[in-house]
Amino acid sequence: MNSSGYLPRLRRRALILARELKRRRDRNRLSRYRPYTRQREFHDAGAVHRERLFMAGNQLGKTVAGSFELAMHLTGRYPSWWRGRRFAEGGRYWAAGETRVSTRDTVQKLLVGEPERSAAWGCGAIPGEAILGIHRASSGANILDAVSVAHVSGGASTLLFKTYEQGRAKWQGDTLNAVWFDEEPPVDIYVEGLTRTNATEGMVMLTFTPLKGMSEVVRMFLDEASPNADQGKETR
């Protein structure tokens, strides 16, 4: 048996297989998400609180927790360990940051994938196979307006990206299942986002480092969360 060409072919096949396995892993990060204790407490609190704040220092997994939870709601793919809120059908969601660029570089990146590489879209918290369509913004490099996502119920969810710099008027009129605020919003934007979820009895999530000190938004949670459970607010 001539093995001179066999081993190189075997190595090539192994390399192709390894690359395919990596591609599948990269496009289904949601299945491997395992929160640490504070992240899990934040998720669990969604079962009983409409309003939640994950407030902590930089690089402690706040935005990561927000992105993976939102991906679960968009897809309906809840892991066996999940004790938070569930949405049985596809819905309408907003994810927001301060500016279009900052939202692209944090929220969009974690949910969809590296903004500058369209080939990587589908390598974020939302599984690539669940992405039905991506709609680019009319201005700004690699900025997305919306993503359509398949839900396990057979329907679909819609994710729209919003920014605080748009102003309150651009936050009016829609009916939503949930809003995710990454970085602290102005109080009028926060109230408007919360109002969008009233008709569905939906929820809002906030993930940020309190760089503005004892702001009105921070005070809403610190003053009301612990002693007044009926207020529906939770801080972590």
Side-chain angles (χ1 to χ4, degrees), residues 60-78:
L60 292 178
K62 305 178 303 297
T63 304
V64 170
S67 67
F68 278 107
E69 174 162 345
L70 189 58
M72 291 178 202
H73 298 318
L74 287 163
T75 61
R77 299 185 183 189
Y78 298 101

Side-chain angles (χ1 to χ4, degrees), residues 36 38 53-63 183 206-211 235-236:
Y36 70 87
R38 288 196 66 192
L53 166 60
F54 192 160
M55 185 169 61
N58 290 318
Q59 302 299 311
L60 292 178
K62 305 178 303 297
T63 304
E183 302 304 338
L206 300 92
T207 54
F208 63 76
T209 300
L211 301 177
T235 183
R236 285 281 182 257

